[in-house]
């Protein structure tokens, strides 16, 4: 499920400025598609952050304070 190459390629695409260039040279429909994709990516990043926090602090005192304990276990 996890694909390091995809993440690496996506990172290069964004950081290189190629995404911005593609956006500037695209039709209005494609621009909306790119913006929707970026919004979804940001939502996914937020979900990843929340999941990482639960994983890291699960079954710890700090995790219990923030609801990452056994009562909220999703596995």
């Amino acid at each position: 499920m996890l694909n390091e190459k995809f993440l690496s390629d996506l990172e290069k695409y964004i950081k290189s400025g190629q995404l911005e260039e593609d956006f500037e040279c695209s039709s209005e429909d494609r621009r909306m598609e790119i913006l929707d994709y970026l919004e979804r990516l940001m939502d996914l990043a937020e979900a990843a952050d929340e999941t990482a926090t639960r994983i890291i602090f699960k079954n710890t005192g700090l995790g219990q304070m923030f609801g990452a304990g056994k009562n909220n276990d999703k596995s």
Side-chain angles (χ1 to χ4, degrees):
M1 186 72 180
L2 301 175
N3 186 325
E4 182 63 33
K5 181 176 180 348
F6 173 78
L7 290 177
S8 180
D9 290 347
L10 181 60
E11 180 181 20
K12 288 176 189 172
Y13 178 60
I14 291 171
K15 288 184 173 181
S16 71
Q18 185 63 50
L19 185 143
E20 288 181 59
E21 187 176 319
D22 289 349
F23 181 86
E24 291 173 9
C25 297
S26 293
S27 68
E28 191 63 29
D29 286 343
R30 180 67 177 142
R31 285 180 176 201
M32 290 295 106
E33 195 176 304
I34 291 169
L35 291 174
D36 287 344
Y37 187 87
L38 289 172
E39 183 176 8
R40 185 167 179 198
L41 184 60
M42 289 183 287
D43 290 345
L44 184 56
E46 187 175 318
D49 183 52
E50 291 169 3
T51 300
T53 299
R54 273 196 312 276
I55 290 169
I56 292 166
F57 294 110
K58 185 176 182 178
N59 299 325
T60 68
L62 190 57
Q64 297 292 331
M65 285 176 45
F66 293 103
K70 291 181 181 182
N71 292 338
N72 292 329
D73 189 1
K74 293 186 178 190
S75 56

